[in-house]
Amino acid sequence: MTGQGGGDILFVRERADGGKAIFLMSDDGRDVRRLVAGDSPRWSPDGTRFAYYRRLGARSVWVMDLDTGEKRRVVSADAILAFAWAPDGVRLAYSDGYRIFIVNTETGDSEPVSIDYAQGRLDWSPDGRKLLLSRQASVKVLDLRTGAEREIAPRVWVDGGRWSPDGERIALAEPNYPYNPRRKAFDLPADGLAKGAIVVADRDGGSRERVTGGSAFDSEPAWSEDGERIYSTRQPPLQLFEEAPGESELYVVDLETRSLRRLTDTAGIDRSPDVRPAHRSLPGPPEPAPGEI
């Protein structure tokens, strides 16, 4: 079920009433099917499982096996803001509102690794040594060996930082309203319309290059397995301080040609793409779940 570029895409489809489910499609936007109720899916490094949010009382992180359909809870806390797989496929980093932890998904053992926290997303570097954490007005890199933190993208609201598969580049979502440290607030655009572009930087945050035009609100970048494309969520420009439009779609940009291609076309919200890291055939579709998305 892979398209010409290889790699299957997990994403979230959200209903008008707030119901969310995780779907799977080929990388050309075809063969869409529902997998499970949940949010924010992330493939395991071997492409056999994915982790996702589920709310049953406390917000928890679950893992689903694509071959067997088995689902199990691996983290539960009052508040989980972000999580990311380690390259070993066993450990998960996750953030609550106070600290970042690492949990062994097989034993359940966890330990804090930082007194900082992440908002929206965490990402673990391919070499297993660093965590990329996005927060309001900055993106930081946490060295897991030393505990040292380094800011690589200050003074702008950025979200969705992701390492490239080779660890040499970082994809960021960068809106058009920078953070003003003297005012301790964002300088809002004159027309009140929030827009955003996908930006690619080197691993130290330098040599930043915009790869989408910034005419809409692009966010949540995810690399293709070969590092040649970036998938993202696209919304129309957002009118700040008003209700966000009830629509978003998934797009992919070719980094060599800068050509942009739309993958989904629904009346609702499609978001949070994540690309399967290995070429594998998919199991047969699960039986539909009555009453769910």
Side-chain angles (χ1 to χ4, degrees):
M1 182 179 154
T2 57
Q4 293 180 351
D8 303 300
I9 314 300
L10 291 168
F11 68 97
V12 174
R13 178 161 287 174
E14 186 172 345
R15 295 187 312 221
D17 63 4
K20 305 177 185 71
I22 296 165
F23 283 71
L24 185 67
M25 68 179 176
S26 57
D27 70 338
D28 56 9
R30 301 179 181 179
D31 304 318
V32 179
R33 62 182 174 91
R34 181 194 180 279
L35 295 178
V36 67
D39 202 353
S40 303
R42 295 290 294 270
W43 284 110
S44 63
D46 64 2
T48 64
R49 298 158 292 147
F50 64 90
Y52 62 100
Y53 284 132
R54 190 176 181 185
R55 187 180 292 278
L56 293 173
R59 196 175 194 187
S60 52
V61 178
W62 290 63
V63 171
M64 179 174 177
D65 187 294
L66 261 291
D67 292 324
T68 67
E70 177 188 3
K71 298 178 284 290
R72 62 188 180 92
R73 184 169 55 191
V74 296
V75 180
S76 183
D78 291 336
I80 300 175
L81 304 181
F83 66 90
W85 284 102
D88 60 20
V90 174
R91 294 171 296 157
L92 275 176
Y94 72 94
S95 174
D96 62 11
Y98 305 97
R99 291 184 292 181
I100 295 173
F101 298 82
I102 292 178
V103 61
N104 184 309
T105 62
E106 295 180 352
T107 67
D109 297 332
S110 66
E111 60 177 348
V113 294
S114 174
I115 59 172
D116 210 342
Y117 67 96
Q119 293 172 305
R121 276 191 178 182
L122 282 169
D123 202 42
W124 208 310
S125 64
D127 63 10
R129 298 177 179 179
K130 299 178 286 293
L131 281 174
L132 191 67
L133 54 130
S134 301
R135 286 189 58 183
Q136 181 175 334
S138 71
V139 172
K140 297 179 180 180
V141 173
L142 169 66
D143 189 309
L144 292 172
R145 295 171 298 176
T146 66
E149 290 185 0
R150 178 169 49 87
E151 193 171 49
I152 63 168
R155 296 185 300 279
V156 66
W157 178 281
V158 285
D159 190 20
R162 296 290 294 268
W163 299 97
S164 62
D166 61 6
E168 294 298 317
R169 295 170 293 170
I170 296 172
L172 304 166
E174 184 177 274
N176 63 333
Y177 44 103
Y179 183 75
N180 187 324
R182 286 184 291 182
R183 294 178 54 240
K184 295 185 178 179
F186 292 96
D187 291 330
L188 302 180
D191 61 3
L193 292 178
K195 303 174 185 178
I198 303 302
V199 173
V200 173
D202 63 29
R203 62 183 178 183
D204 295 317
S207 302
R208 299 158 68 86
E209 182 179 8
R210 178 181 288 190
V211 299
T212 64
S215 60
F217 198 99
D218 298 329
S219 62
E220 302 180 312
W223 294 86
S224 64
E225 185 183 0
D226 56 14
E228 296 179 358
R229 296 169 304 285
I230 293 178
Y231 297 79
S232 63
T233 302
R234 168 164 283 203
Q235 295 173 271
L238 306 179
Q239 182 68 52
L240 293 171
F241 309 119
E242 294 186 8
E243 185 177 354
E247 60 181 277
S248 63
E249 306 294 346
L250 303 183
Y251 280 73
V252 58
V253 60
D254 184 290
L255 297 182
E256 181 177 358
T257 66
R258 296 294 192 270
S259 60
L260 191 67
R261 181 163 51 94
R262 184 173 182 166
L263 296 176
T264 63
D265 187 2
T266 66
I269 298 174
D270 287 344
R271 57 175 176 81
S272 304
D274 198 55
V275 184
R276 194 172 198 149
H279 296 282
R280 300 179 68 255
S281 60
L282 294 176
E287 293 298 320
E292 297 185 317
I293 293 179

PDB file of all heavy atoms in Angstrom, residues 113-132:
ATOM      1  N   VAL A 113      14.592  13.268  33.131  1.00  0.00           N
ATOM      2  CA  VAL A 113      15.880  13.606  32.500  1.00  0.00           C
ATOM      3  C   VAL A 113      16.061  15.106  32.364  1.00  0.00           C
ATOM      4  O   VAL A 113      17.146  15.564  31.985  1.00  0.00           O
ATOM      5  CB  VAL A 113      16.015  12.944  31.114  1.00  0.00           C
ATOM      6  CG1 VAL A 113      16.084  11.440  31.256  1.00  0.00           C
ATOM      7  CG2 VAL A 113      14.889  13.366  30.180  1.00  0.00           C
ATOM      8  N   SER A 114      15.036  15.896  32.675  1.00  0.00           N
ATOM      9  CA  SER A 114      15.159  17.341  32.570  1.00  0.00           C
ATOM     10  C   SER A 114      14.099  17.994  33.434  1.00  0.00           C
ATOM     11  O   SER A 114      12.995  17.462  33.587  1.00  0.00           O
ATOM     12  CB  SER A 114      14.995  17.802  31.116  1.00  0.00           C
ATOM     13  OG  SER A 114      14.971  19.215  31.030  1.00  0.00           O
ATOM     14  N   ILE A 115      14.437  19.168  33.975  1.00  0.00           N
ATOM     15  CA  ILE A 115      13.437  19.948  34.695  1.00  0.00           C
ATOM     16  C   ILE A 115      12.713  20.893  33.745  1.00  0.00           C
ATOM     17  O   ILE A 115      11.845  21.649  34.159  1.00  0.00           O
ATOM     18  CB  ILE A 115      14.073  20.748  35.849  1.00  0.00           C
ATOM     19  CG1 ILE A 115      15.149  21.715  35.315  1.00  0.00           C
ATOM     20  CG2 ILE A 115      14.648  19.822  36.899  1.00  0.00           C
ATOM     21  CD1 ILE A 115      15.673  22.663  36.380  1.00  0.00           C
ATOM     22  N   ASP A 116      13.085  20.855  32.472  1.00  0.00           N
ATOM     23  CA  ASP A 116      12.363  21.612  31.455  1.00  0.00           C
ATOM     24  C   ASP A 116      11.192  20.766  30.952  1.00  0.00           C
ATOM     25  O   ASP A 116      11.043  19.610  31.316  1.00  0.00           O
ATOM     26  CB  ASP A 116      13.301  21.954  30.298  1.00  0.00           C
ATOM     27  CG  ASP A 116      12.910  23.269  29.615  1.00  0.00           C
ATOM     28  OD1 ASP A 116      11.760  23.702  29.800  1.00  0.00           O
ATOM     29  OD2 ASP A 116      13.758  23.844  28.923  1.00  0.00           O
ATOM     30  N   TYR A 117      10.380  21.340  30.099  1.00  0.00           N
ATOM     31  CA  TYR A 117       9.276  20.580  29.534  1.00  0.00           C
ATOM     32  C   TYR A 117       9.041  21.039  28.106  1.00  0.00           C
ATOM     33  O   TYR A 117       9.571  22.043  27.652  1.00  0.00           O
ATOM     34  CB  TYR A 117       8.000  20.737  30.370  1.00  0.00           C
ATOM     35  CG  TYR A 117       7.390  22.117  30.363  1.00  0.00           C
ATOM     36  CD1 TYR A 117       6.348  22.423  29.492  1.00  0.00           C
ATOM     37  CD2 TYR A 117       7.842  23.108  31.224  1.00  0.00           C
ATOM     38  CE1 TYR A 117       5.781  23.690  29.477  1.00  0.00           C
ATOM     39  CE2 TYR A 117       7.285  24.373  31.226  1.00  0.00           C
ATOM     40  CZ  TYR A 117       6.261  24.658  30.353  1.00  0.00           C
ATOM     41  OH  TYR A 117       5.705  25.903  30.333  1.00  0.00           O
ATOM     42  N   ALA A 118       8.251  20.263  27.368  1.00  0.00           N
ATOM     43  CA  ALA A 118       7.969  20.557  25.962  1.00  0.00           C
ATOM     44  C   ALA A 118       6.484  20.816  25.795  1.00  0.00           C
ATOM     45  O   ALA A 118       5.657  20.302  26.539  1.00  0.00           O
ATOM     46  CB  ALA A 118       8.405  19.398  25.076  1.00  0.00           C
ATOM     47  N   GLN A 119       6.160  21.617  24.783  1.00  0.00           N
ATOM     48  CA  GLN A 119       4.770  21.854  24.423  1.00  0.00           C
ATOM     49  C   GLN A 119       4.570  21.390  22.988  1.00  0.00           C
ATOM     50  O   GLN A 119       5.306  21.785  22.100  1.00  0.00           O
ATOM     51  CB  GLN A 119       4.437  23.340  24.505  1.00  0.00           C
ATOM     52  CG  GLN A 119       4.468  23.907  25.913  1.00  0.00           C
ATOM     53  CD  GLN A 119       4.319  25.419  25.890  1.00  0.00           C
ATOM     54  OE1 GLN A 119       5.076  26.100  25.223  1.00  0.00           O
ATOM     55  NE2 GLN A 119       3.354  25.930  26.618  1.00  0.00           N
ATOM     56  N   GLY A 120       3.582  20.558  22.760  1.00  0.00           N
ATOM     57  CA  GLY A 120       3.242  20.172  21.394  1.00  0.00           C
ATOM     58  C   GLY A 120       3.979  18.955  20.896  1.00  0.00           C
ATOM     59  O   GLY A 120       3.361  17.967  20.560  1.00  0.00           O
ATOM     60  N   ARG A 121       5.328  18.995  20.854  1.00  0.00           N
ATOM     61  CA  ARG A 121       6.072  17.873  20.310  1.00  0.00           C
ATOM     62  C   ARG A 121       7.440  17.740  20.946  1.00  0.00           C
ATOM     63  O   ARG A 121       8.073  18.730  21.340  1.00  0.00           O
ATOM     64  CB  ARG A 121       6.272  18.016  18.797  1.00  0.00           C
ATOM     65  CG  ARG A 121       5.099  17.530  17.962  1.00  0.00           C
ATOM     66  CD  ARG A 121       5.487  17.462  16.507  1.00  0.00           C
ATOM     67  NE  ARG A 121       4.397  16.958  15.689  1.00  0.00           N
ATOM     68  CZ  ARG A 121       4.497  16.761  14.376  1.00  0.00           C
ATOM     69  NH1 ARG A 121       5.617  17.003  13.749  1.00  0.00           N
ATOM     70  NH2 ARG A 121       3.483  16.303  13.700  1.00  0.00           N
ATOM     71  N   LEU A 122       7.883  16.500  21.041  1.00  0.00           N
ATOM     72  CA  LEU A 122       9.273  16.136  21.298  1.00  0.00           C
ATOM     73  C   LEU A 122       9.764  15.344  20.099  1.00  0.00           C
ATOM     74  O   LEU A 122       8.962  14.728  19.393  1.00  0.00           O
ATOM     75  CB  LEU A 122       9.390  15.241  22.538  1.00  0.00           C
ATOM     76  CG  LEU A 122       9.319  15.856  23.931  1.00  0.00           C
ATOM     77  CD1 LEU A 122       9.194  14.740  24.971  1.00  0.00           C
ATOM     78  CD2 LEU A 122      10.561  16.678  24.223  1.00  0.00           C
ATOM     79  N   ASP A 123      11.074  15.334  19.869  1.00  0.00           N
ATOM     80  CA  ASP A 123      11.622  14.454  18.844  1.00  0.00           C
ATOM     81  C   ASP A 123      13.002  13.992  19.287  1.00  0.00           C
ATOM     82  O   ASP A 123      13.805  14.786  19.777  1.00  0.00           O
ATOM     83  CB  ASP A 123      11.708  15.168  17.496  1.00  0.00           C
ATOM     84  CG  ASP A 123      11.741  14.184  16.334  1.00  0.00           C
ATOM     85  OD1 ASP A 123      10.971  13.195  16.378  1.00  0.00           O
ATOM     86  OD2 ASP A 123      12.517  14.393  15.395  1.00  0.00           O
ATOM     87  N   TRP A 124      13.254  12.697  19.131  1.00  0.00           N
ATOM     88  CA  TRP A 124      14.511  12.078  19.565  1.00  0.00           C
ATOM     89  C   TRP A 124      15.446  11.994  18.358  1.00  0.00           C
ATOM     90  O   TRP A 124      15.047  11.534  17.293  1.00  0.00           O
ATOM     91  CB  TRP A 124      14.224  10.675  20.095  1.00  0.00           C
ATOM     92  CG  TRP A 124      15.190  10.173  21.129  1.00  0.00           C
ATOM     93  CD1 TRP A 124      16.548  10.167  21.056  1.00  0.00           C
ATOM     94  CD2 TRP A 124      14.861   9.571  22.391  1.00  0.00           C
ATOM     95  NE1 TRP A 124      17.090   9.604  22.175  1.00  0.00           N
ATOM     96  CE2 TRP A 124      16.078   9.229  23.009  1.00  0.00           C
ATOM     97  CE3 TRP A 124      13.667   9.269  23.036  1.00  0.00           C
ATOM     98  CZ2 TRP A 124      16.142   8.605  24.255  1.00  0.00           C
ATOM     99  CZ3 TRP A 124      13.725   8.651  24.267  1.00  0.00           C
ATOM    100  CH2 TRP A 124      14.938   8.332  24.875  1.00  0.00           C
ATOM    101  N   SER A 125      16.685  12.438  18.517  1.00  0.00           N
ATOM    102  CA  SER A 125      17.626  12.435  17.396  1.00  0.00           C
ATOM    103  C   SER A 125      17.934  11.007  16.959  1.00  0.00           C
ATOM    104  O   SER A 125      17.921  10.074  17.777  1.00  0.00           O
ATOM    105  CB  SER A 125      18.920  13.154  17.771  1.00  0.00           C
ATOM    106  OG  SER A 125      19.600  12.470  18.807  1.00  0.00           O
ATOM    107  N   PRO A 126      18.223  10.797  15.671  1.00  0.00           N
ATOM    108  CA  PRO A 126      18.492   9.440  15.184  1.00  0.00           C
ATOM    109  C   PRO A 126      19.662   8.752  15.865  1.00  0.00           C
ATOM    110  O   PRO A 126      19.699   7.526  15.945  1.00  0.00           O
ATOM    111  CB  PRO A 126      18.778   9.663  13.691  1.00  0.00           C
ATOM    112  CG  PRO A 126      18.028  10.906  13.351  1.00  0.00           C
ATOM    113  CD  PRO A 126      18.149  11.767  14.564  1.00  0.00           C
ATOM    114  N   ASP A 127      20.648   9.524  16.373  1.00  0.00           N
ATOM    115  CA  ASP A 127      21.780   8.903  17.059  1.00  0.00           C
ATOM    116  C   ASP A 127      21.481   8.590  18.522  1.00  0.00           C
ATOM    117  O   ASP A 127      22.325   8.034  19.240  1.00  0.00           O
ATOM    118  CB  ASP A 127      23.039   9.770  16.945  1.00  0.00           C
ATOM    119  CG  ASP A 127      22.894  11.136  17.616  1.00  0.00           C
ATOM    120  OD1 ASP A 127      21.895  11.365  18.332  1.00  0.00           O
ATOM    121  OD2 ASP A 127      23.788  11.980  17.423  1.00  0.00           O
ATOM    122  N   GLY A 128      20.289   8.946  18.995  1.00  0.00           N
ATOM    123  CA  GLY A 128      19.864   8.611  20.350  1.00  0.00           C
ATOM    124  C   GLY A 128      20.435   9.495  21.439  1.00  0.00           C
ATOM    125  O   GLY A 128      20.193   9.249  22.618  1.00  0.00           O
ATOM    126  N   ARG A 129      21.152  10.552  21.080  1.00  0.00           N
ATOM    127  CA  ARG A 129      21.856  11.354  22.083  1.00  0.00           C
ATOM    128  C   ARG A 129      21.124  12.616  22.515  1.00  0.00           C
ATOM    129  O   ARG A 129      21.441  13.192  23.546  1.00  0.00           O
ATOM    130  CB  ARG A 129      23.234  11.741  21.549  1.00  0.00           C
ATOM    131  CG  ARG A 129      24.134  10.548  21.271  1.00  0.00           C
ATOM    132  CD  ARG A 129      25.455  10.994  20.675  1.00  0.00           C
ATOM    133  NE  ARG A 129      26.340   9.859  20.422  1.00  0.00           N
ATOM    134  CZ  ARG A 129      27.546   9.963  19.889  1.00  0.00           C
ATOM    135  NH1 ARG A 129      28.011  11.152  19.540  1.00  0.00           N
ATOM    136  NH2 ARG A 129      28.275   8.877  19.691  1.00  0.00           N
ATOM    137  N   LYS A 130      20.159  13.078  21.721  1.00  0.00           N
ATOM    138  CA  LYS A 130      19.556  14.385  21.984  1.00  0.00           C
ATOM    139  C   LYS A 130      18.044  14.325  21.821  1.00  0.00           C
ATOM    140  O   LYS A 130      17.512  13.490  21.097  1.00  0.00           O
ATOM    141  CB  LYS A 130      20.142  15.429  21.024  1.00  0.00           C
ATOM    142  CG  LYS A 130      21.643  15.618  21.162  1.00  0.00           C
ATOM    143  CD  LYS A 130      22.177  16.609  20.160  1.00  0.00           C
ATOM    144  CE  LYS A 130      22.233  16.040  18.748  1.00  0.00           C
ATOM    145  NZ  LYS A 130      23.207  14.966  18.612  1.00  0.00           N
ATOM    146  N   LEU A 131      17.384  15.254  22.513  1.00  0.00           N
ATOM    147  CA  LEU A 131      15.953  15.470  22.338  1.00  0.00           C
ATOM    148  C   LEU A 131      15.733  16.885  21.828  1.00  0.00           C
ATOM    149  O   LEU A 131      16.364  17.834  22.311  1.00  0.00           O
ATOM    150  CB  LEU A 131      15.203  15.300  23.659  1.00  0.00           C
ATOM    151  CG  LEU A 131      14.914  13.882  24.141  1.00  0.00           C
ATOM    152  CD1 LEU A 131      14.295  13.935  25.539  1.00  0.00           C
ATOM    153  CD2 LEU A 131      13.987  13.156  23.181  1.00  0.00           C
ATOM    154  N   LEU A 132      14.856  17.006  20.871  1.00  0.00           N
ATOM    155  CA  LEU A 132      14.442  18.308  20.365  1.00  0.00           C
ATOM    156  C   LEU A 132      13.122  18.646  21.034  1.00  0.00           C
ATOM    157  O   LEU A 132      12.171  17.860  20.985  1.00  0.00           O
ATOM    158  CB  LEU A 132      14.270  18.225  18.850  1.00  0.00           C
ATOM    159  CG  LEU A 132      14.088  19.508  18.056  1.00  0.00           C
ATOM    160  CD1 LEU A 132      15.360  20.348  18.099  1.00  0.00           C
ATOM    161  CD2 LEU A 132      13.717  19.178  16.621  1.00  0.00           C
TER     162      LEU A 132
END
